[in-house]
Amino acid sequence: MKEIAKLMDYRSDVRVVDATLRDGGLVNDFYFTDEFVRALYLANIKSGVDYMEFGYKASRELFDENKFGKWKFCKDEDIRAIVGENNTDLKIAVMADVGRCDYKNDILNKADSPIDLIRVATYLNTIPLAADMIENAAKKGYEVSCNIMAISNTQERDLEAALDILGKTPVDVFYIVDSYGALYPEQIARIADTFLNFASKYGKKVGIHAHNNQQLAFANTIEAVGDGVDWLDGTYAGMGRGAGNCAMELLLGFLRNPKYSVFPVFQFVDKYMTKLREEGTVWGYDLQYLMTGLLNQHPRTAIQFTKDRRNDYAEFYKELVVQD
């Protein structure tokens, strides 16, 4: 039984993170206009969002800058062009993906950067490198979170070992990431309990980043809130890879917290997100994403199905079952 206060009352420890540019950038290769990014920044300030994730600190050796928009790489000067000195309560975040970034060189000292939070993304098999990245970012003066991806594919003992390793680092937040949108609220409750036990042991916070393959991103996020998870990811109009994420408008509408206002989100969606869809940018729940979620598979095949403009759903399901 959930503590009703954790669902109904104001919780000062809650932090909302806008991941629209980063997860949404996976839909359009990070080609957002400066007008869009600046307007999103202002909408986040007006709505009381705590952190805005600008994108990735991706390696320019591994990824061709000519094939992606600038938010794939999040150069400090590009962020400054949007936020200036960022004399606001909104903090700036970027994601550093294990094995896909040159974190020792591309992440500057915090004193020289507009960035506040480094979000390290890792799978269980790359936890040692993630720990080194966390140490590096913390020494440079940043807040640090660690997103443990594909949590639906982990074994409990492996997860506990990983959390024990990460707990001994200076990471501030452990993140539950339902990368495949495969989990149900009951599973989230059990996983959150494991995360919170280690967070309590090591003095950390816990966050959640949910995907919407089974239309459960919002349900799983508020399940986590009821379990005591404090850091919550959302995206405007649910924009994100494949089926997308927990919609910011749903999340802020749910939270009983006077610091948040949902109206600026509606204004931004009305002016900018609707336009993106009209211009042909595609994201959100559809049958192909449901199928990969049900089968606990990476949505890459469903993304390709969408790009190919296929609509032979039954045939696609057969393909997934055979490969599974």
Side-chain angles (χ1 to χ4, degrees):
M1 181 69 70
K2 299 289 177 293
E3 291 182 35
I4 193 68
K6 287 183 177 176
L7 287 171
M8 297 299 295
D9 198 9
Y10 161 69
R11 282 168 53 191
S12 61
D13 287 341
V14 164
R15 298 290 181 269
V16 172
V17 180
D18 168 36
T20 306
L21 285 186
R22 200 272 307 163
D23 216 317
L26 296 168
V27 174
N28 67 352
D29 292 329
F30 303 90
Y31 285 113
F32 296 101
T33 66
D34 284 357
E35 178 192 353
F36 180 99
V37 178
R38 192 169 289 109
L40 180 60
Y41 170 68
L42 294 175
N44 279 323
I45 293 169
K46 291 177 182 178
S47 63
V49 165
D50 299 284
Y51 291 81
M52 177 175 171
E53 187 178 39
F54 268 69
Y56 286 97
K57 275 284 188 184
S59 166
R60 294 189 292 277
E61 292 291 322
L62 292 175
F63 298 94
D64 187 346
E65 287 188 82
N66 295 317
K67 295 181 179 179
F68 298 94
K70 57 191 171 185
W71 306 113
K72 178 77 170 179
F73 308 97
C74 283
K75 295 177 183 177
D76 286 33
E77 57 266 31
D78 290 331
I79 296 175
R80 283 195 191 279
I82 300 297
V83 309
E85 293 303 312
N86 188 35
N87 295 316
T88 75
D89 292 332
L90 177 68
K91 293 186 176 183
I92 306 303
V94 297
M95 180 164 281
D97 210 341
V98 170
R100 299 178 182 178
C101 64
D102 183 7
Y103 63 97
K104 292 182 179 178
N105 296 311
D106 288 343
I107 297 176
L108 308 179
N109 288 325
K110 172 66 188 81
D112 303 317
S113 174
I115 299 166
D116 300 288
L117 169 68
I118 303 296
R119 296 191 358 137
V120 174
T122 182
Y123 292 100
L124 280 189
N125 65 330
T126 54
I127 288 291
L129 181 53
D132 188 67
M133 291 173 65
I134 291 165
E135 295 283 355
N136 181 272
K139 286 178 182 177
K140 290 176 177 175
Y142 294 96
E143 298 174 56
V144 193
S145 66
C146 186
N147 287 29
I148 303 179
M149 297 184 291
I151 201 72
S152 57
N153 273 349
T154 62
Q155 299 296 318
E156 185 174 358
R157 288 185 180 179
D158 293 339
L159 175 60
E160 291 174 349
L163 290 171
D164 205 36
I165 292 169
L166 293 173
K168 296 168 185 173
T169 73
V171 73
D172 298 292
V173 190
F174 301 140
Y175 252 90
I176 301 165
V177 184
D178 184 15
S179 302
Y180 304 160
L183 295 174
Y184 297 94
E186 295 85 351
Q187 294 169 296
I188 290 291
R190 292 195 296 271
I191 293 167
D193 185 60
T194 299
F195 271 72
L196 288 162
N197 284 338
F198 279 88
S200 177
K201 177 180 177 181
Y202 289 107
K204 314 296 185 183
K205 292 292 187 178
V206 177
I208 184 168
H209 179 90
H211 279 263
N212 205 38
N213 297 61
Q214 301 186 79
Q215 294 193 335
L216 289 171
F218 177 54
N220 284 338
T221 299
I222 63 175
E223 168 65 41
V225 172
D227 296 323
V229 170
D230 288 324
W231 285 56
L232 314 172
D233 283 16
T235 63
Y236 284 61
M239 186 184 186
R241 185 200 64 194
N245 305 100
C246 177
M248 184 66 76
E249 54 273 22
L250 285 169
L251 180 58
L252 294 191
F254 164 78
L255 292 172
R256 275 71 172 179
N257 190 324
K259 72 173 289 187
Y260 301 123
S261 173
V262 74
F263 183 62
V265 180
F266 293 143
Q267 289 179 304
F268 183 85
V269 170
D270 185 27
K271 186 172 182 179
Y272 291 98
M273 305 306 290
T274 302
K275 183 180 178 183
L276 275 185
R277 289 191 188 274
E278 289 173 347
E279 292 171 346
T281 305
V282 178
W283 73 88
Y285 170 83
D286 208 337
L287 284 179
Q288 62 270 32
Y289 297 117
L290 165 64
M291 293 172 192
T292 57
L294 285 171
L295 296 171
N296 195 17
Q297 294 181 6
H298 193 287
R300 62 175 64 89
T301 51
I303 292 169
Q304 190 59 51
F305 178 98
T306 306
K307 288 180 178 179
D308 293 341
R309 302 193 177 194
R310 291 174 59 181
N311 58 12
D312 53 334
Y313 296 106
E315 183 62 30
F316 180 63
Y317 184 71
K318 289 197 296 185
E319 294 170 12
L320 293 177
V321 171
V322 169
Q323 78 172 25
D324 193 44

